[in-house]
């Protein structure tokens, strides 16, 4: 029996794996994805990015209908959101309270869009952004002067909060997501 016939779904992480750079697929990877779709396998693009920043090179593949974005908080089919896992408003306030005395960079994802501290958007490399994502970071973020107030005001709408903290050796990006009372913390 051909084991390939048993495969029903392939979920592809994008950044640092499937993509050749921040926005493109190699021809070989694109051909493999198209071949999988033609053989009846459901292919899903998965990314920490919000949906609106998913690369066209991936999302324009005919038959690639599903995307899991915002680090798993949002599931889309054919460009329409079918599921969102919002952070509980009380948890947003707890997060903000936990970092109230710290000089951190904050990002918030709301319904497919990213909003970030203006310091990070203007100087992403100073805060640990990898060079290959410099242009992506500068282009995709709403520039917010007072992120704490912004996140508090929009606490009923947040898919994800990212916190970029400074350590002795530089900045480290950590993403914290709370959903339905279950805490999911990811450090990168």
């Amino acid at each position: 029996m051909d084991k390939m016939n048993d495969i029903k779904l392939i979920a592809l992480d994008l950044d640092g794996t499937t993509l050749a750079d921040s926005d493109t697929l190699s021809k070989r990877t694109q051909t493999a994805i198209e071949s999988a779709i033609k053989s009846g396998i459901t292919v899903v693009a998965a990314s920490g990015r919000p949906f609106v920043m998913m690369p066209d090179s991936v999302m324009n593949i005919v038959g690639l209908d599903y995307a899991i974005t915002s680090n798993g908080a949002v599931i889309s089919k054919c460009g329409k959101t079918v599921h969102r896992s919002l952070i509980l408003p009380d948890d947003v306030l707890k997060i903000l309270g936990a970092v109230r005395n710290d000089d951190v960079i904050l990002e918030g994802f709301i319904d497919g869009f990213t909003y970030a501290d203006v310091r990070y958007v203007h100087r992403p490399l100073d805060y640990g952004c990898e060079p290959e994502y410099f242009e992506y970071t500068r282009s995709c973020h709403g520039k917010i002067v007072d992120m704490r107030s912004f996140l508090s005001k929009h606490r009923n709408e947040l898919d994800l909060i990212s916190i970029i903290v400074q350590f002795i050796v530089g900045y480290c990006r950590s993403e914290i997501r709370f959903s339905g009372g279950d805490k999911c913390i990811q450090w990168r």
Side-chain angles (χ1 to χ4, degrees):
M1 177 189 252
D2 184 6
K3 293 290 183 188
M4 288 300 286
N5 291 333
D6 294 338
I7 297 172
K8 305 291 182 222
L9 181 135
I10 299 172
L12 301 170
D13 176 56
L14 298 183
D15 295 309
T17 53
T18 302
L19 294 174
D21 59 37
S22 68
D23 287 321
T24 59
L25 290 169
S26 70
K27 187 63 181 160
R28 181 177 178 198
T29 300
Q30 182 174 342
T31 300
I33 292 169
E34 290 168 342
S35 176
I37 292 168
K38 285 178 185 166
S39 70
I41 298 170
T42 300
V43 178
V44 178
S47 178
R49 300 175 186 214
F51 184 81
V52 298
M53 293 310 297
M54 294 292 281
D56 289 341
S57 63
V58 174
M59 300 314 296
N60 287 339
I61 294 175
V62 174
L64 197 153
D65 297 331
Y66 290 93
I68 301 171
T69 58
S70 298
N71 276 356
V74 180
I75 301 171
S76 303
K77 180 179 181 184
C78 299
K80 299 203 183 318
T81 299
V82 295
H83 175 78
R84 280 181 72 199
S85 180
L86 299 178
I87 303 171
L88 297 174
D90 285 346
D91 287 338
V92 172
L93 297 177
K94 288 176 189 174
I95 292 168
L96 294 174
V99 298
R100 73 180 165 278
N101 296 322
D102 301 316
D103 183 23
V104 297
I105 298 293
L106 297 168
E107 289 180 304
F109 287 23
I110 300 173
D111 202 20
F113 292 92
T114 307
Y115 302 88
D117 186 308
V118 69
R119 297 175 295 168
Y120 180 62
V121 178
H122 288 303
R123 297 186 334 272
L125 296 176
D126 292 352
Y127 297 99
C129 176
E130 296 177 22
E132 58 268 26
Y133 297 103
F134 175 81
E135 288 303 324
Y136 160 75
T137 299
R138 294 205 59 201
S139 67
C140 77
H141 290 74
K143 301 164 184 74
I144 308 298
V145 173
D146 183 355
M147 273 303 293
R148 293 169 201 266
S149 293
F150 178 85
L151 293 174
S152 180
K153 178 180 176 183
H154 295 278
R155 66 182 170 270
N156 295 314
E157 307 168 67
L158 288 158
D159 301 325
L160 180 109
I161 293 176
S162 294
I163 302 171
I164 301 169
V165 297
Q166 184 176 22
F167 292 101
I168 294 170
V169 295
Y171 282 87
C172 174
R173 180 183 180 86
S174 64
E175 295 178 330
I176 301 174
R177 184 175 145 242
F178 293 81
S179 173
D182 296 326
K183 297 178 175 102
C184 173
I185 301 175
Q186 298 171 332
W187 294 92
R188 293 196 285 178

